[in-house]
Amino acid sequence: MSEHHIVMPKTYATVLGCLFVLMAATIGASYIHLGSTYNLLLALFIALCKMSLIVMFFMHVKYSSKLTKVFAASGFFWLIIFFTLLFADYMARHLSTSPFAGSPYGG
Amino acid sequence: MSSAEAKADRSPYLAHHFESIEQQEESCTLGMWLFLAQEVMFFGGLFMAYAVYRYMYPDAWLEGSGALSIKIGGINTVVLLVSSFSMAMGVYYCQIGNSKNLFRALLVTLFLGFVFVAIKLKFEYFPKFAEGLFPGDGWGPHGHYADLASFGDQGALQIFFFLYFVMTGMHAFHMLIGFVILVVLMVMTKQNKFGPQRFMPILFFGLYWHFVDIVWVFIFPMFYLVT
């Protein structure tokens, strides 16, 4: 007989309430002008909070084994690596001078 | 223990190649998360294209986002979040063995999914198709979107709407697949195939449905709320 954790309706309802609050927060934050970069970071931060709530409670990861947690995190972890490598390229493309200019490594 | 005894001891839900129900559940869960990691990679590619072009054409993003309705997008966000909740409740009812409420929860999830796609088509896709916001040869914003026609870089604006249609379209396509699976699960629920001993199919479909919800959680601020 399996001992799988049963998440209670009250927990699900609380999470749904938090998701509504965060949705209101992300819409509200878009009307506050912090500069496009900070607005973007704030929107991403709120989206990450919503994602964590969904993954932890709706998707039962909080109650799962460590190995499942690793699997759940792996996709997002690889995504961070991809984004880092991608932007290391794109953000450096418009540099007018190479940071290596004048060094023995060329420029 | 003889092999005949061991056989009699096995749960009818335990497949022959697993030692125990726990091992079976763990293996299946890992398989499902592996599939979801693949889905993260798939949508991740689209989000990377989004990030590169937003970085290159910030003005087009601001202009394009202004043409999307926060109200419609917000309503759809609520619809989708509630459908995720009803799906989670479905898992709960399955685990406590209430097939009647499981069926109802799946029905509500399916209905809300339909509402989401219907709103998307009626208030978002169709007006954009009709008023020249579909990238390609038919491009030419007019009617409600006439303001966009005066934006200098029409090419960049087309890239914004190209990504909008591809990403929201791929998201909606995932929902359509979800509808088919939901109908199958509802038929199986009517046949009493699920219960406290066998809820993994419901749980795994829930994982898929919540994943689709997460994609929307990112799409919504990235397209509708650009400032």
Side-chain angles (χ1 to χ4, degrees):
Chain A
M1 169 73 210
S2 90
E3 299 290 328
H4 204 282
H5 190 91
I6 298 180
V7 183
M8 288 295 142
K10 211 178 137 186
T11 309
Y12 287 142
T14 309
V15 170
L16 182 67
C18 294
L19 289 172
F20 282 153
V21 170
L22 287 169
M23 189 200 88
T26 196
I27 294 176
S30 75
Y31 289 102
I32 307 166
H33 291 281
L34 305 166
S36 57
T37 308
Y38 288 107
N39 271 113
L40 176 62
L41 288 177
L42 185 59
L44 276 175
F45 175 72
I46 296 173
L48 283 171
C49 290
K50 287 169 86 174
M51 183 184 85
S52 307
L53 282 172
I54 294 171
V55 168
M56 284 298 174
F57 295 98
F58 282 179
M59 298 171 94
H60 292 201
V61 167
K62 187 175 190 294
Y63 315 100
S64 299
S65 68
K66 279 183 181 150
L67 188 58
T68 306
K69 287 188 173 86
V70 170
F71 269 55
S74 64
F76 300 104
F77 180 71
W78 281 109
L79 208 55
I80 293 170
I81 295 176
F82 287 164
F83 267 94
T84 308
L85 293 176
L86 186 84
F87 274 91
D89 175 6
Y90 276 95
M91 295 181 89
R93 281 192 185 188
H94 62 82
L95 293 178
S96 52
T97 45
S98 162
F100 299 110
S103 79
Y105 303 105
Chain B
M1 197 190 280
S2 76
S3 72
E5 272 176 77
K7 220 167 206 166
D9 220 29
R10 287 173 75 89
S11 156
Y13 302 108
L14 181 57
H16 69 92
H17 52 292
F18 289 115
E19 288 280 330
S20 65
I21 286 280
E22 287 77 13
Q23 189 202 23
Q24 175 170 299
E25 286 187 355
E26 181 73 4
S27 306
C28 295
T29 305
L30 289 182
M32 189 61 201
W33 273 104
L34 204 56
F35 166 71
L36 291 180
Q38 174 276 134
E39 288 279 82
V40 171
M41 293 290 94
F42 171 74
F43 277 101
L46 295 175
F47 275 103
M48 276 189 232
Y50 169 95
V52 167
Y53 285 115
R54 179 172 178 170
Y55 177 70
M56 290 167 86
Y57 305 111
D59 295 339
W61 249 245
L62 208 53
E63 187 77 10
S65 177
L68 302 177
S69 163
I70 294 178
K71 201 172 83 184
I72 301 292
I75 290 170
N76 257 351
T77 306
V78 172
V79 170
L80 211 54
L81 289 177
V82 176
S83 88
S84 250
F85 172 73
S86 69
M87 190 58 228
M89 288 303 292
V91 173
Y92 168 75
Y93 285 125
C94 192
Q95 286 180 317
I96 63 166
N98 188 336
S99 290
K100 208 170 178 175
N101 280 352
L102 164 62
F103 184 83
R104 285 180 186 150
L106 294 177
L107 188 65
V108 170
T109 308
L110 181 64
F111 172 74
L112 291 170
F114 270 130
V115 170
F116 178 93
V117 174
I119 289 176
K120 191 128 214 62
L121 290 175
K122 177 82 175 68
F123 299 106
E124 302 213 270
Y125 282 3
F126 291 160
K128 286 184 184 63
F129 292 153
E131 296 183 319
L133 278 195
F134 193 73
D137 290 341
W139 177 262
H142 59 275
H144 291 93
Y145 304 112
D147 288 356
L148 293 182
S150 58
F151 182 72
D153 193 347
Q154 290 292 306
L157 208 50
Q158 286 197 52
I159 293 178
F160 173 85
F161 280 100
F162 171 73
L163 286 169
Y164 165 81
F165 279 113
V166 169
M167 292 173 78
T168 59
M170 261 306 153
H171 175 264
F173 181 64
H174 274 74
M175 295 191 68
L176 297 185
I177 295 170
F179 295 167
V180 176
I181 302 172
L182 265 171
V183 170
V184 173
L185 291 179
M186 283 163 71
V187 171
M188 289 173 81
T189 304
K190 278 285 174 209
Q191 294 168 341
N192 273 321
K193 292 257 171 77
F194 305 122
Q197 302 285 326
R198 190 164 191 266
F199 60 91
M200 296 310 256
I202 302 289
L203 181 69
F204 292 163
F205 176 73
L207 292 183
Y208 173 81
W209 196 256
H210 299 315
F211 170 79
V212 174
D213 192 17
I214 289 174
V215 172
W216 182 259
V217 158
F218 282 91
I219 285 181
F220 178 59
M222 291 303 113
F223 281 99
Y224 294 77
L225 303 176
V226 177
T227 47

